[in-house]
Amino acid sequence: CEVRPGPEFLTRSYLFYSNRLFKALQFYYWDPSCRDPSYSLVIKGKLRLRQASWITRGATEADYHLHKVGIVFHSPRAMREVASWINQTSGEGCRGFLPPGRSWAPGALYEVLSAKTERDCTAALGFAMHELSLVRVERHFQPLLQPQQSGSRLVEELYLGDIHTDWGERLHYRPTGYQRPMQSALHHAHPCPACGIIARADEHHPPILPARAALPMQLSGSWVSTHCEVRPAVLFLTRYFTFHGNNHTWEGHYYHYSDPLCRQPTFTIYASGHYTQGIPSSKVRGGTELAFKVTQARVTPMDQVTVLMLNSSEAGSCGLAGSWSAGVEQDITPTNGCLALGIKLPHTEYELFKTEQDTQERSLLYIGERPTDGSSPDSPDKRPTSYQAPLIQCAAASEEFSNYISLKYVGRKDANGIEALKPLPVAFLLFIALLFLRWD
């Protein structure tokens, strides 16, 4: 069940044909478990892949054209709400989308966009398919480690463009980052109880996902990224956090890279501070609201471009001016942060957290999605309403795990024989090895 800014709760099922046509189904829900459907959208159009993206490395740019969009309501309440949105906020051609008093008809399909008649009533829904303008397909092999099995299975994942966190901007925004990946119906990661349910659904029979027990917020421990994360404005990074529940303090390591595989490090940020007791979110059901205070930070530049940038920064704005060198950490707390990297200290962020368990009963931590415009959620009204990619818990006792984390980087030659800086966080490598040993 996906959470989009707003919040919106939805599941998606997209079908791409060899003649470039596509049919996309988007199922919207009232609840964060995707068990109470509101309405479904049927989107038909044509997609043309263009060239490799100049902005987001590893992505392909695409053009799309919508032929028609239909909506099916799954309750009278959904029909009343959507009809009022469209009648009140759309242009002249949409004011009479549904006449007052029109009764709900189960299974009826209403057209909200038609290229043939040039009618488009989708703006009131906050609907756009700009996610199709940025595409990336990843393939990897998942080991088969059942006692009676050997070998591996192919897993294909489709990354589509991200959705702007500001509702007013999403209709015009051209993505530079990704949403969480969609799984191939044929070649998906196992186990995936939701995959088959969503793949078999249609606009008249929306998927009802299996019930999941609500988990209490248990932050204590260490959490790490499961893959290289791509953020808008061309940011590639991995994250590693440790939370100390006994005194409500936290530490975070942000490893930044210049490539979408996270193999070419640029700089690392270490930050620490304390956080408040969480309270249930009234806006995003299932989420917990917290405030995080960042009081200390250190930066380690990992390539010469970053070193040059930091050494060129204004005196007193980012550590000791002119003293930066690759692989050497420097405290930026005395200069109240680092202007060149957009870090301000001390700093408070208003966050949204959620914990879940995956199908293998591993603990996942979702942290609020960062504002697409690059700003910070530094006031309660900017608190996120959606989430970043989840972190996975790699140690329940943070004190034990923190002894293993390594922030050292060593020189290593790449395929061209050029000396390159490559990170070797020991704990992260051990964690990945454990993942493969436990993967079902």
Side-chain angles (χ1 to χ4, degrees):
C1 188
E2 302 179 58
V3 183
R4 283 186 174 180
E8 289 180 331
F9 309 112
L10 77 159
T11 58
R12 296 177 293 156
S13 176
Y14 292 2
L15 181 61
F16 298 92
Y17 300 93
S18 57
N19 60 358
R20 297 181 181 172
L21 295 176
F22 70 87
K23 178 182 178 181
L25 295 172
Q26 295 183 350
F27 308 99
Y28 290 82
Y29 302 80
W30 300 109
D31 66 302
S33 300
C34 289
R35 293 183 52 79
D36 186 9
S38 170
Y39 63 88
S40 298
L41 295 180
V42 191
I43 306 128
K44 295 181 179 180
K46 195 165 190 175
L47 181 72
R48 182 173 68 91
L49 299 178
R50 294 173 58 204
Q51 71 276 337
S53 173
W54 288 89
I55 300 174
T56 307
R57 289 179 58 187
T60 298
E61 294 179 356
D63 290 328
Y64 72 92
H65 178 70
L66 297 182
H67 296 160
K68 59 176 64 177
V69 178
I71 186 169
V72 176
F73 302 107
H74 302 303
S75 68
R77 174 190 169 194
M79 184 177 187
R80 287 193 303 269
E81 287 202 5
V82 172
S84 67
W85 299 341
I86 294 177
N87 288 336
Q88 291 175 17
T89 62
S90 299
E92 290 294 331
C94 299
R95 293 249 169 90
F97 169 69
L98 284 177
R102 178 76 174 270
S103 61
W104 172 58
L109 179 68
Y110 302 90
E111 194 174 78
V112 291
L113 180 148
S114 171
K116 189 173 292 186
T117 62
E118 298 184 352
R119 186 188 195 212
D120 185 357
C121 306
T122 60
L125 302 174
F127 169 82
M129 286 299 287
H130 299 324
E131 61 192 272
L132 293 178
S133 62
L134 197 69
V135 180
R136 177 184 173 94
V137 174
E138 287 192 4
R139 297 179 178 88
H140 61 271
F141 288 90
Q142 179 183 357
L144 301 175
L145 293 180
Q146 293 280 353
Q148 69 276 17
Q149 295 177 318
S150 61
S152 59
R153 66 166 59 91
L154 174 66
V155 174
E156 291 184 313
E157 296 178 318
L158 173 64
Y159 288 81
L160 296 177
D162 62 302
I163 308 298
H164 202 290
T165 53
D166 184 336
W167 182 278
E169 297 293 331
R170 64 195 297 179
L171 299 183
H172 318 286
Y173 172 65
R174 297 295 172 175
T176 55
Y178 303 117
Q179 300 173 67
R180 291 187 62 194
M182 302 178 74
Q183 299 283 321
S184 164
L186 294 178
H187 305 291
H188 57 78
H190 289 261
C192 182
C195 291
I197 297 173
I198 298 171
R200 290 188 295 270
D202 60 41
E203 61 270 28
H204 304 292
H205 307 90
I208 308 298
L209 299 191
R212 304 178 71 174
L215 296 179
M217 176 61 64
Q218 298 287 352
L219 271 185
S220 295
S222 296
W223 307 79
V224 71
S225 298
T226 61
H227 64 281
C228 186
E229 300 174 10
V230 182
R231 300 262 183 87
V234 201
L235 289 176
F236 308 106
L237 76 158
T238 57
R239 297 171 291 153
Y240 165 63
F241 289 97
T242 301
F243 299 96
H244 307 276
N246 56 340
N247 58 6
H248 279 208
T249 59
W250 68 278
E251 303 169 72
H253 301 88
Y254 305 81
Y255 302 92
H256 290 257
Y257 304 82
S258 62
D259 69 295
L261 297 178
C262 289
R263 293 179 177 176
Q264 301 167 20
T266 53
F267 62 94
T268 294
I269 299 173
Y270 165 84
S272 63
H274 56 270
Y275 60 94
T276 62
Q277 183 75 37
I279 60 172
S281 172
S282 59
K283 194 169 186 179
V284 186
R285 286 171 54 193
T288 300
E289 295 181 352
L290 302 99
F292 276 76
K293 187 74 172 284
V294 187
T295 55
Q296 292 182 307
R298 302 193 293 265
V299 171
T300 308
M302 301 310 306
D303 66 353
Q304 291 303 322
V305 174
T306 306
V307 169
L308 181 61
M309 176 187 70
L310 295 177
N311 279 331
S312 302
S313 60
E314 183 181 346
S317 68
C318 186
L320 191 58
S323 66
W324 294 93
S325 58
V328 179
E329 185 181 70
Q330 188 172 152
D331 191 352
I332 59 171
T333 308
T335 54
N336 298 320
C338 179
L339 188 61
L341 296 177
I343 303 171
K344 181 181 178 181
L345 297 174
H347 181 67
T348 299
E349 296 196 342
Y350 295 84
E351 270 295 359
L352 179 73
F353 275 47
K354 177 179 69 170
T355 53
E356 284 185 356
Q357 281 191 330
D358 65 10
T359 52
Q360 295 174 275
E361 298 186 350
R362 296 175 299 194
S363 296
L364 302 178
L365 174 64
Y366 292 82
I367 300 178
E369 190 171 1
R370 308 298 297 176
T372 307
D373 62 8
S375 64
S376 170
D378 52 8
S379 61
D381 61 299
K382 295 180 70 175
R383 191 186 301 273
T385 56
S386 57
Y387 302 98
Q388 302 175 50
L391 305 172
I392 193 164
Q393 190 172 36
C394 47
S398 57
E399 288 76 14
E400 296 177 14
F401 191 80
S402 61
N403 293 331
Y404 293 92
I405 191 71
S406 170
L407 298 180
K408 302 295 183 184
Y409 289 72
V410 297
R412 178 170 176 175
K413 292 185 178 180
D414 61 19
N416 299 317
I418 301 173
E419 190 76 13
L421 289 165
K422 187 168 182 66
L424 290 177
V426 175
F428 187 74
L429 295 177
L430 288 172
F431 166 67
I432 293 298
L434 286 172
L435 262 187
F436 278 108
L437 288 174
R438 296 176 57 192
W439 208 319
D440 183 8

